[in-house]
Amino acid sequence: MPAVQVLTVQQAKQGRSVFIGTYEARRSILLAPTQTGRIITISAVSGQFVRKGDVLATLEDRLLSEMAAQAQGEADAAKAEMEQAKATYKRSQGLDTIGGLSSEAVEDRAHSWRISQGKYKSARAALMQAQIQLAEAQIRAPEDGWVVSVSGVPGNLFGAGSEIIRLSAGEPEVHFIVPSPSAWAVGD
């Protein structure tokens, strides 16, 4: 197949209607960071076809990585504290009936175990939030489509919601500008 296809332009035949129209994708998707950050890389170029999940841009994530590591450490410590409180409570159960511990001491250990469970749940939630923020440092294609424009530049600081890439996706649509109905008939 030749690199350039040559077509002969002909004048439209009399009696035929000519319509002007546009051909476009169903959706235009604005891709923007969810948080303010400096763009490190942009791997997409205008006109490129991308697949769902492809990383198109990356924001600086050193601080986010540190926050995720800190949250992981806090979750690990809270889990160990919870397991220790549980073991202490389990060992103390029944000791109040034989006089080894007061009922109040056993209740305090049960209470400490419940508090440590809450701390662990809170630490896990903080870890999940840090992991989500870290994952959002990568701008990914939400679906298959064509890159229409790239406005982000590596090294620049972008605010949350500022467009970096615009993607065109979905089934194509064709729109025609149709002259008044008196100018044409069905079947033309």
Side-chain angles (χ1 to χ4, degrees), residues 154-173:
N156 284 0
L157 187 64
F158 272 75
S162 299
E163 179 178 336
I164 293 178
I165 297 170
R166 185 170 296 268
L167 189 66
S168 181
E171 293 296 318
E173 291 182 348

Side-chain angles (χ1 to χ4, degrees), residues 61-76:
D61 65 357
R62 289 181 301 175
L63 180 59
L64 296 172
S65 293
E66 290 299 321
M67 289 171 56
Q70 179 180 358
Q72 180 67 60
E74 289 171 2
D76 291 346

Side-chain angles (χ1 to χ4, degrees), residues 63-81 83 119-134:
L63 180 59
L64 296 172
S65 293
E66 290 299 321
M67 289 171 56
Q70 179 180 358
Q72 180 67 60
E74 289 171 2
D76 291 346
K79 183 178 182 182
E81 182 181 324
E83 289 170 351
K119 287 180 180 179
Y120 178 56
K121 286 179 183 177
S122 178
R124 279 192 359 223
L127 173 60
M128 180 64 74
Q129 180 65 35
Q131 290 171 335
I132 288 169
Q133 287 179 332
L134 182 58

Side-chain angles (χ1 to χ4, degrees), residues 30-109:
L30 174 138
L31 301 178
T34 58
Q35 55 206 344
T36 299
R38 187 167 309 283
I39 298 175
I40 300 300
T41 62
I42 293 185
S43 57
V45 294
S46 294
Q48 175 184 358
F49 182 78
V50 295
R51 297 266 181 217
K52 179 179 181 175
D54 287 353
V55 176
L56 306 179
T58 305
L59 301 175
E60 186 174 19
D61 65 357
R62 289 181 301 175
L63 180 59
L64 296 172
S65 293
E66 290 299 321
M67 289 171 56
Q70 179 180 358
Q72 180 67 60
E74 289 171 2
D76 291 346
K79 183 178 182 182
E81 182 181 324
M82 179 187 68
E83 289 170 351
Q84 177 64 36
K86 178 182 178 182
T88 301
Y89 170 66
K90 295 289 184 188
R91 280 193 308 271
S92 65
Q93 283 182 316
L95 292 178
D96 56 340
T97 58
I98 61 169
L101 279 176
S102 69
S103 293
E104 182 180 341
V106 174
E107 287 175 16
D108 284 346
R109 290 178 179 186

